[in-house]
Amino acid sequence: MIPLAIPDLSGNESRYLQECIDSTYVSTVGAFVGRFEEMVASAAGTRGAVATSAGTTALHVALVALGVRRDDLVVVPSFTFVATANAVSHAGATPWLLDVDADSWTLDPRKLSDALTRHTRRDADGSLRHVASGRRVSAVVAVHTFGHPADADSLRAVADSFGLPVLSDAAASLGATYRGRAVGVDAGRATVFSFNGNKTVTAGGGGAVASDDEDLVAHVRHLSSTARVGADYDHDEVGFNYRMTNLQAAVGCAQMERLDSLVAAKRRIRRAYDVAFADLPDVEPFPSVSWAESACWFSGFVAPRGSTDAIRAALREEGIDARPTWKPMHLQTPYADAPREDLEVSDSIWSRIVTLPCSTGLSDDDLAAVIAAVPRAVRAAQQ
Ligand SMILES: *Cc1c(COP(=O)(O)O)cnc(C)c1O
């Protein structure tokens, strides 16, 4: 089977891991953690970054540091990975589910503006309140879908006018650019990355919160390591044990050294699929817009409604791992009752997406095999 996405660990990964073992620095203290944070901040284009145990924990601690509290509402696109909504829940808040834009599959700024205008009012104390539920609205999470940046300038303009901070869930977007800028530049108050095993750059598991706001970076660092003050057992807040270990950072540093070539490999696969399937009837490519260059974490195509199960089955029979993608949050049991607005685009796209093998080490032969098999599978599904 040609796998969907496996890591390429052919750089300095094993050497750096051995250094951790030899030095006994295997836990959250160690030189690789600091080095990894500098590499992530540099790639994101931000002043600082804090490495965490996962993308999910990075999202959680960032939301808490941004002031999200129990019983708040946090705007989240319904079309995202469940971790985005879960992090909001872990902070004690509830996701307010909005739709994505058809051109980028990221949070739609016009729908955001419309929802905030129609459904919130400003309290005497200055906080923004969702009228129907009586809850405070405290943040907007902009998700960079499959490595494609959200429209940060437009989203920030709307969020600013309502006094809301934007947190970017750029889990799989390191290496992407937005209006020619690195993905964390002006993306909001903070940008979160994941280094899970299936992301373009992996640390085995891990995450990071990157930001230009040095106070916020310091607060995230403090919260993620038990909010300890000084060297004794004094803690001034309810903190977390969310730091990345030196072992993870060792792998992460070796991967970050090759960020450019890993992202280039992902983009090459995307281009090959887009070119090969351009003339396939009823098949549409993944989004591409003039204002951003995706990091192309996942690639594939959009098929006619009702055909994806058959297409995937046909591909799997040919030894090609083709998968479905994120089922939106409003269709998930834990979020069935979450407040939501019109979700027309989320509803129309998710079940039509087929993801295809996109490992950074995908060989030319395997790429050619996938390209040859897809038209057959699409045709078979139409019969
Ligand atoms: C991968 C991913 C996450 C979660 O990251 P983990 O490191 O697996 O916790 C969150 N949001 C999005 C959009 C992701 O793709």
Side-chain angles (χ1 to χ4, degrees):
M1 187 74 98
I2 303 174
L4 189 80
I6 53 168
D8 168 355
L9 304 170
S10 61
N12 286 318
E13 287 82 0
S14 62
R15 190 157 74 81
Y16 292 170
L17 274 174
Q18 192 62 49
E19 281 180 35
C20 293
I21 308 282
D22 293 345
S23 70
T24 76
Y25 281 103
V26 293
S27 191
T28 56
V29 176
F32 286 115
V33 179
R35 200 196 295 178
F36 182 70
E37 290 176 336
E38 279 171 22
M39 294 173 102
V40 170
S42 161
T46 58
R47 287 215 182 92
V50 180
T52 61
S53 55
T56 307
T57 56
L59 286 167
H60 182 193
V61 69
L63 288 166
V64 171
L66 288 175
V68 171
R69 299 195 301 255
R70 185 156 298 285
D71 297 331
D72 285 353
L73 286 186
V74 172
V75 172
V76 169
S78 189
F79 185 56
T80 185
F81 181 53
V82 72
T84 321
N86 285 348
V88 170
S89 300
H90 296 327
T94 298
W96 180 9
L97 303 174
L98 266 59
D99 206 7
V100 293
D101 178 294
D103 295 332
S104 68
W105 296 350
T106 63
L107 188 63
D108 186 328
R110 263 168 309 177
K111 289 185 176 176
L112 175 67
S113 173
D114 189 54
L116 291 172
T117 304
R118 293 201 346 221
H119 299 297
T120 66
R121 64 173 163 72
R122 177 86 39 204
D123 273 359
D125 69 358
S127 57
L128 192 70
R129 203 150 298 274
H130 182 253
V131 175
S133 66
R135 289 169 183 258
R136 189 176 80 113
V137 182
S138 56
V140 173
V141 183
V143 177
H144 295 209
T145 309
F146 304 142
H148 190 299
D151 186 0
D153 288 351
S154 307
L155 291 170
R156 249 189 313 106
V158 174
D160 282 352
S161 70
F162 286 89
L164 295 174
V166 172
L167 174 65
S168 280
D169 178 351
S173 299
L174 259 185
T177 56
Y178 172 73
R179 299 192 189 281
R181 322 190 284 250
V183 74
V185 177
D186 295 332
R189 293 284 308 284
T191 302
V192 163
F193 300 103
S194 164
F195 303 94
N196 189 36
N198 70 351
K199 299 298 201 268
T200 304
V201 175
T202 187
V209 182
S211 178
D212 273 334
D213 179 339
E214 278 158 324
D215 292 338
L216 184 69
V217 169
H219 193 198
V220 166
R221 194 179 299 283
H222 182 63
L223 280 172
S224 65
S225 44
T226 73
R228 187 172 186 156
V229 190
D232 295 334
Y233 287 93
D234 290 310
H235 308 267
D236 64 353
E237 288 181 85
V238 179
F240 304 92
N241 176 14
Y242 278 177
R243 288 288 276 160
M244 178 178 275
T245 67
N246 207 41
L247 288 171
Q248 290 168 297
V251 175
C253 283
Q255 292 266 290
M256 287 298 293
E257 289 170 355
R258 293 188 296 142
L259 174 67
D260 291 349
S261 71
L262 295 174
V263 172
K266 288 285 194 185
R267 286 178 172 155
R268 182 179 146 261
I269 294 166
R270 170 71 60 84
R271 256 192 314 276
Y273 288 150
D274 285 354
V275 168
F277 310 145
D279 297 328
L280 260 191
D282 303 325
V283 161
E284 293 159 41
F286 275 32
S288 162
V289 297
S290 60
W291 43 263
E293 195 180 0
S294 176
C296 300
W297 171 41
F298 273 175
S299 286
F301 58 91
V302 185
R305 184 178 299 284
S307 67
T308 50
D309 285 348
I311 291 172
R312 281 197 309 270
L315 288 171
R316 292 183 74 85
E317 236 165 74
E318 295 207 43
I320 292 162
D321 194 2
R323 305 244 184 122
T325 188
W326 307 328
K327 183 191 272 191
M329 295 307 104
H330 64 285
L331 303 176
Q332 304 284 356
T333 305
Y335 300 110
D337 298 327
R340 74 196 51 175
E341 304 310 317
D342 149 60
L343 296 168
E344 186 192 340
V345 177
S346 304
D347 273 324
S348 84
I349 54 170
W350 74 273
S351 62
R352 296 164 51 214
I353 295 170
V354 176
T355 54
L356 293 171
C358 57
S359 302
T360 51
L362 187 69
S363 70
D364 288 345
D365 283 354
D366 283 353
L367 183 63
V370 177
I371 284 172
V374 165
R376 286 196 292 270
V378 170
R379 245 177 280 123
Q382 283 167 342
Q383 274 153 19

